[in-house]
Amino acid sequence: MSDARIEAYAHAIVEIAEAEGNLAVVENELFRVARAVESSDQLRATLTDETIPAVRRQAVVEALLGSASNTTTQLVGMVIGSGRGRDLPAIIDKVVKRAASSQGKEVAEVRSAVELTADQQARLAAALERATGKQVNLKVVVDPSILGGVVATVGDTVIDGSVRSRLDQVKSRL
Amino acid sequence: MRLLSLIAAEDPTQTHHWLLPETAEIIYGGLAFLIVATGLWKFALPEMKKALAARSAKIGDQLKNAADTRAAAEAEATSIRQAIGDISGERARLLAEADSQAAAILAEGRARVSAEIADLEAKADADIAASRSRSSDELRAEIAQLAAVAANSAVSASLTPGTQQDLIEGFINGVGAAR
């Protein structure tokens, strides 16, 4: 799908969420959905399989989102139902960026091998704001593949403090 | 007539000498001899001389022809001998040329084989060196892979919850101190 179409979907979702008055909740839930779709080949294959009826794919989304808000469930169902499941992560990333920029913030995607506590998230957001000079909207993704530590991405800046990268450096040095 | 009557009147049994014939007979005989000898001398002798001269000429011609034939045969023999000599020389020359060509071909073949052997040896050396280097690289990569796996296992085993929290705190502190 073209960038313009992705932008159009993202714009529509942000407008609907703002109209519903729960943009912050929706963009958080959407972010988790996007990461779930990215990390699961089976889920991605199911949502993008044109041979599976759209109604059934929407049912999968509803089952997946279980405790999510109705707005989130309906918005994801709308994207899947219109046959744009393949572009769902890209659309959601645009939604998150739009939501952050509407608040004058930059999205800070943080990957950690374990869950971060609320205190750690707050201190990390503050540290990233000091380091980048930007207000950040922290998005935490639990990613066991990095083994340990944290990888933070703010715009084009990547701060990699993961054990995985250290091991890769050792491996390349070897 | 008179002569005939004398011959008829003579008695053969009544001779005047036991050895010599009668005088008349000697005369007649002598005259007949002279006539015959004269005839022979005058008519037969020239023909005989002519025939003898012709025969002599014929024999001379034959001798000359034989001499010519002999000379031609000797010349031919000389030519053949010379030709044989030439053939021997040509044979010797051809043999020498063949020997020379064979020696040149042999030398060229030896040089080519030597060059090919040198090339093969160089290629084999290069292959051995490349193989050694490849083996070394593969061994190094294998060691690195094993070391990486070992390091991965060791690090993963040492990543306790406490360590994870230490890493997170260290990251937060490090990022916060970066500016």
Side-chain angles (χ1 to χ4, degrees), chain A residues 73-150:
Chain A
T73 307
Q74 286 170 0
L75 288 172
V76 174
M78 176 193 76
V79 175
I80 298 298
S82 60
R84 307 297 176 190
R86 192 182 304 277
D87 301 309
L88 186 61
I91 292 170
I92 291 173
D93 285 345
K94 290 285 182 189
V95 169
V96 173
K97 276 187 182 175
R98 272 177 171 272
S101 63
S102 70
Q103 299 166 1
K105 294 182 178 177
E106 184 97 14
V107 175
E109 184 182 302
V110 173
R111 291 179 177 270
S112 170
V114 296
E115 286 281 2
L116 298 182
T117 63
D119 176 57
Q120 284 173 331
Q121 288 189 27
R123 284 190 289 121
L124 182 55
L128 288 171
E129 285 173 356
R130 277 200 301 278
T132 61
K134 297 173 184 172
Q135 293 289 309
V136 298
N137 183 5
L138 204 68
K139 298 293 179 192
V140 179
V141 179
V142 176
D143 184 0
S145 70
I146 67 171
L147 297 176
V150 176

Side-chain angles (χ1 to χ4, degrees), chain A residues 113-114 147-149, chain B residues 154-168:
Chain A
V114 296
L147 297 176
Chain B
V155 170
S156 298
S158 67
L159 286 172
T160 62
T163 313
Q164 292 283 11
Q165 293 304 315
D166 289 344
L167 287 168
I168 291 166

Side-chain angles (χ1 to χ4, degrees), chain B residues 82-139:
Chain B
Q82 186 176 359
I84 289 170
D86 290 345
I87 287 168
S88 297
E90 184 69 11
R91 179 171 169 243
R93 191 186 64 77
L94 288 173
L95 285 174
E97 191 176 339
D99 286 346
S100 172
Q101 286 180 353
I105 289 168
L106 191 60
E108 186 187 349
R110 279 183 182 147
R112 195 171 61 244
V113 168
S114 297
E116 285 177 1
I117 287 171
D119 285 348
L120 287 172
E121 283 178 351
K123 190 170 179 297
D125 287 344
D127 286 348
I128 288 168
S131 178
R132 194 178 294 145
S133 173
R134 194 164 51 246
S135 299
S136 177
D137 290 347
E138 286 173 0
L139 185 62

